[in-house]
Amino acid sequence: MNAILLILGMMVVTYIPRYLPFLAFSRRQTPRLVKRFLRCIPYAALGALILPGAVTAIPSYPLVAMVGIAAAIICAWIRKEIILTVLISVTVTFLILSILKI
Amino acid sequence: MKKNGNQPSQLREGILASLPIFIGYIPVAVTFGLLAKSTGVTLLETFLFSALVFAGASQFMALQLIQMGVSPIQIIAVTFIMNFRHFLMSSYLSTFFPEPNHFLLPFISFGVTDESFAYLATRKEHPGHHFVLGLQYSAYVSWVGGTLIGFLAGAIIPRTLQVSMGLALYALFIAILIPEVKKSVPAAITAITGGLIHSLLTRSKYFSSGWNIIIAILVAAGVGSLLMNEKEGEDQ
């Protein structure tokens, strides 16, 4: 029971920040400076989502993770298909871990 | 202006576009289900975690804190800080939808995750409501479904495969970011700044991890908005 209350609480505090901006920002013309700032959020967020998390994605084997990341970068640079990049990166990582018998 | 193509076809396009996210979520969700089970959380509670909170990192954090005996109020407070980054993401996404009273916005906002945001925010044209719903809720099905699979059958997935799948979501972010970076130097600098600041803050352990990413995004977006020229700052 207690756990369900915890989950409901987590839901509320997660949902409010997700919803509020839709009420606030879509209402009227946003000033140009704010618009430019908002426009940069995707790139800033992607950078912060990738680093440092990606390096520690394979617990206790950062080097293996880095090879997987490198594979993803190279693949994404050459081809635009997202799914291909994801599959190649995971496969490369899996092969290395299997060969090293980790 | 947005094209109002017919809704079922928008929905279908959104679902198709979600495939990488759908696949990327499964291993993470399976791990969550597996871990929840080993923490002693019931099947119903595990399901509700994924179905109602729908925010991976905070769910993992909650399991850890439950195990440490931290009080629910504190766990909720940490969750708030951790998920506040979505405020920034929703702020950006809201610029796609000029009518604040549209009946679908409560559902679209519930579906905002790092991954769906990353995908939507870097698309060339503004997506319609139904495209966004298709993308988000296909990912939702994968997240909730994966959680149940993990709880019920997670142990049968080979460990090496599970570990390698840990890279899937990062590969997804990289796949979304790289084409943008190739097009625009300010975008590249903004992303690198975000990553570096987040790394430094994480290393310094001065703030909690929820704050780290918020600060990193704010500072990097600030730097980026100084670099972007007027044309890039405008909507295409």
Side-chain angles (χ1 to χ4, degrees), chain B residues 219-232:
Chain B
V219 175
V223 170
S225 58
L226 297 177
L227 296 172
M228 292 245 169
N229 60 38
E230 290 301 322
K231 208 178 105 255
E232 282 166 311

Side-chain angles (χ1 to χ4, degrees), chain B residues 1-55:
Chain B
M1 269 303 19
K2 275 195 307 278
K3 335 135 272 348
N4 268 331
N6 72 20
Q7 300 174 346
S9 86
Q10 269 195 36
L11 199 68
R12 193 154 1 121
E13 276 176 48
I15 293 171
L16 279 178
S18 80
L19 189 62
I21 303 178
F22 190 97
I23 293 180
Y25 274 178
I26 290 176
V28 187
V30 166
T31 311
F32 176 75
L34 198 68
L35 226 70
K37 188 181 185 181
S38 66
T39 311
V41 178
T42 67
L43 176 62
L44 174 69
E45 290 158 358
T46 306
F47 165 76
L48 290 177
F49 258 121
S50 284
L52 297 182
V53 183
F54 190 36

